[in-house]
Amino acid sequence: MNTNVQVSFANSNTRYAQDIFQDINQESNATPIAWKGEKLNAQMTVLSKIQLAAVRVITGDLKASNGHIISKENSRTGFNHCYY
């Protein structure tokens, strides 16, 4: 495992310091719960001790255990980044 870069889903109610490399519990899955019609958000952190040339996020369909699917066309990604 590369310890210079960590990628994980994180608590969307927490703002993580961008200038401090923190050890976080790595989570490869997010399990948000909402009522029909509600908007959800999830936060994924990319923490790096080294300079990265590029970061790309590719979304896929969201699949529930009961077989229901939310198409990837109904999701959006965005970045909040800082360079030091």
Side-chain angles (χ1 to χ4, degrees), residues 17-35:
Q18 296 177 347
D19 60 339
I20 300 172
F21 190 85
Q22 303 171 357
D23 286 327
I24 58 174
N25 293 331
Q26 291 193 325
E27 299 288 338
S28 60
N29 293 306
T31 325
I33 299 171
W35 292 94

Side-chain angles (χ1 to χ4, degrees), residues 13-68:
N13 294 317
T14 302
R15 180 176 169 88
Y16 296 91
Q18 296 177 347
D19 60 339
I20 300 172
F21 190 85
Q22 303 171 357
D23 286 327
I24 58 174
N25 293 331
Q26 291 193 325
E27 299 288 338
S28 60
N29 293 306
T31 325
I33 299 171
W35 292 94
K36 185 176 180 178
E38 282 187 317
K39 291 184 180 181
L40 287 178
N41 68 61
Q43 178 170 248
M44 187 168 60
T45 60
V46 179
L47 302 172
S48 178
K49 292 181 181 178
I50 59 176
Q51 184 173 355
L52 300 175
V55 174
R56 180 172 56 169
V57 175
I58 300 171
T59 59
D61 292 342
L62 303 173
K63 301 173 185 176
S65 58
N66 63 4
H68 293 157

Side-chain angles (χ1 to χ4, degrees), residues 57-84:
V57 175
I58 300 171
T59 59
D61 292 342
L62 303 173
K63 301 173 185 176
S65 58
N66 63 4
H68 293 157
I69 295 175
I70 298 174
S71 171
K72 64 184 176 185
E73 281 77 30
N74 293 311
S75 64
R76 290 183 289 187
T77 60
F79 288 93
N80 180 8
H81 54 82
C82 188
Y83 299 102
Y84 287 94

